[in-house]
Amino acid sequence: MARLLLIEDDLTIRAPLVRALRERGHAVAAASTAMTGLRDALDDRPDLVVLDLGLPDLDGRELLRMLRAVSAVPVIVATARDDEREIVRVLDAGADDYVVKPFTAAQLDARVRAVLRRGPGGQPVDPTVVVGGLRIDPRSRQVDLDGEPVELTPREFDLLRHLATRVGEVVTKRELLTEVWQIPYGGADKTVDVHLSWLRRKLGESAQRPRYLHTVRGVGVRLVTPEVDG
């Protein structure tokens, strides 16, 4: 049984959704405003938050940023917009997944179970990966480089974590969009390129002088152990 927090202001959506998710075995709490939802998320520590973007007191994207600043709780965003740019924005802001309104309780339940399987509260959680001087800990979502912490955004961490599950292998942009962003491949490879550029900068390298992240032109990228000079 998962402990869920539903932040949704529309009672006609909130009440039947709470009832249906409880019937599927979840313990569900609900909040109708952003500030109440933030307080409940911090006080009650749910396993997952379902967040509506159209809240009366604060934009849902701003609440997501506030929540991400203090918690790693998985978040599924409910949005009425299904255009790619909107989806990319909410995922980049730290959402773990999204559902487009209108959706059924069965669809949301499937998303909840899938996100919880990925962690950090779900199972299984990948073990710590060490690649050269790079240490990636999925449990704490911490990254160290040569013993020093590296501050990554949630999406940058998810990108690096996925590459770390396939060390030495070329991972395509199509796979990264599907597995990290949970969006179908459709010409959004610039999103991957931009995040790879940010990630490289934080790892102290560039596409021209790579150490850990090596681009295979026209195919994808791979995470490797850097060569030792001399």
Side-chain angles (χ1 to χ4, degrees), residues 1 22 32 45 52 66-68 93 110 154 195 209-210 218 222:
M1 179 179 68
R22 285 174 177 167
S32 60
R45 298 185 177 275
D52 173 43
M66 294 168 65
L67 189 58
R68 272 291 162 261
H195 282 78
R209 301 187 65 183
R222 62 182 176 182

Side-chain angles (χ1 to χ4, degrees), residues 9-214:
D9 67 308
D10 189 336
L11 181 61
T12 63
I13 296 175
R14 186 174 69 248
L17 204 52
V18 167
R19 183 170 59 252
L21 289 171
R22 285 174 177 167
E23 290 173 353
R24 285 168 169 79
H26 302 295
V28 187
S32 60
T33 66
M35 291 297 96
T36 301
L38 180 62
R39 182 197 64 202
D40 291 350
L42 298 180
D43 290 348
D44 300 337
R45 298 185 177 275
D47 297 317
L48 182 142
V49 173
V50 179
L51 171 62
D52 173 43
L53 293 184
L55 297 171
D57 55 332
L58 188 70
D59 182 81
R61 281 171 290 266
E62 182 61 28
L63 175 58
L64 176 60
R65 284 189 286 268
M66 294 168 65
L67 189 58
R68 272 291 162 261
V70 294
S71 173
V73 62
V75 177
I76 296 177
V77 162
T79 175
R81 298 178 59 184
D82 62 354
D83 63 281
E84 184 178 273
R85 286 179 296 178
E86 171 70 7
I87 292 168
V88 168
R89 276 196 292 268
V90 298
L91 292 173
D92 282 347
D96 295 270
D97 204 347
Y98 69 94
V99 287
V100 177
K101 294 180 177 181
F103 56 86
T104 66
Q107 290 172 331
L108 180 57
D109 182 43
R111 298 276 191 172
V112 166
R113 288 184 280 108
V115 169
L116 290 178
R117 283 197 297 269
R118 297 202 297 264
Q123 298 186 34
V125 177
D126 298 331
T128 297
V129 177
V130 178
V131 183
L134 190 62
R135 183 178 183 275
I136 305 159
D137 185 350
R139 291 177 177 82
S140 64
R141 294 182 68 85
Q142 297 294 315
V143 174
D144 294 329
L145 179 60
D146 299 327
E148 297 294 327
V150 180
E151 297 296 328
L152 300 180
T153 66
R155 195 58 54 196
E156 290 165 354
F157 179 87
D158 290 341
L159 174 58
L160 182 60
R161 174 184 178 180
H162 187 78
L163 293 172
T165 66
R166 306 267 298 279
V167 173
E169 299 180 27
V170 179
V171 181
T172 66
K173 293 178 182 179
R174 180 188 297 270
E175 178 180 331
L176 291 173
L177 280 170
T178 301
E179 298 298 327
V180 178
W181 276 265
Q182 286 88 51
I183 60 176
Y185 185 83
D189 52 345
K190 287 296 183 185
T191 296
V192 178
D193 292 337
V194 168
H195 282 78
L196 282 172
S197 176
W198 292 340
L199 188 54
R200 283 191 172 106
R201 190 177 310 148
K202 292 182 179 182
L203 296 180
E205 61 181 72
S206 67
Q208 293 72 35
R209 301 187 65 183
R211 295 183 66 228
Y212 290 95
L213 300 174
H214 290 249

